[in-house]
Amino acid sequence: QVHLVESGGGLVQPGGSLRLSCAASGSIFSINVMAWYRQAPGKQRELVARITSGGSTNYADSVKGRSTISRDTAKNTVYLQMSSLKPDDTAVYYCNTPPILSRWGQGTQVTVSS
């Protein structure tokens, strides 16, 4: 099993930036893809960005150009750098290991508000 712990969220003003972190532990040797998801109140969880072990990345249109996903293999950590944040980015952010999902962590709350 893979254990995921997200951190780095907070309250930020529109236009601000945040860097989210996700530390993975457990059976991590088999992980190829790491991804960030988010779930806003009353909405379904959605995929935000993904990165392969080779470094290939994909982004949802809603965050493309404003976000960068990266991973530190040595630290078993994946990051999501977000900038030009908008109120619509307000959500709980989670990481996971698609296509075979691990148990969801507690997530980290991002609130974009003035």
Side-chain angles (χ1 to χ4, degrees):
Q1 281 194 341
V2 176
H3 184 56
L4 303 165
V5 179
E6 301 91 348
S7 61
L11 173 63
V12 62
Q13 292 187 340
S17 300
L18 280 176
R19 189 177 81 153
L20 308 182
S21 300
C22 169
S25 60
S27 302
I28 58 177
F29 60 91
S30 61
I31 297 175
N32 176 26
V33 180
M34 292 291 295
W36 282 97
Y37 299 77
R38 67 184 181 186
Q39 186 167 22
K43 295 186 177 181
Q44 288 190 331
R45 193 170 296 176
E46 63 174 349
L47 178 66
V48 175
R50 61 191 292 274
I51 184 168
T52 69
S53 57
S56 296
T57 58
N58 299 97
Y59 298 90
D61 287 343
S62 56
V63 303
K64 195 175 295 182
R66 301 188 296 119
S67 298
T68 301
I69 187 171
S70 60
R71 67 194 292 175
D72 185 330
T73 303
K75 295 182 179 179
N76 300 320
T77 300
V78 62
Y79 304 97
L80 185 67
Q81 177 72 47
M82 304 181 69
S83 59
S84 301
L85 284 163
K86 308 173 182 179
D88 284 349
D89 294 316
T90 295
V92 180
Y93 285 72
Y94 304 87
C95 63
N96 216 306
T97 58
I100 300 174
L101 297 180
S102 303
R103 179 172 292 184
W104 293 96
Q106 83 288 349
T108 186
Q109 175 72 49
V110 172
T111 302
V112 184
S113 174
S114 56

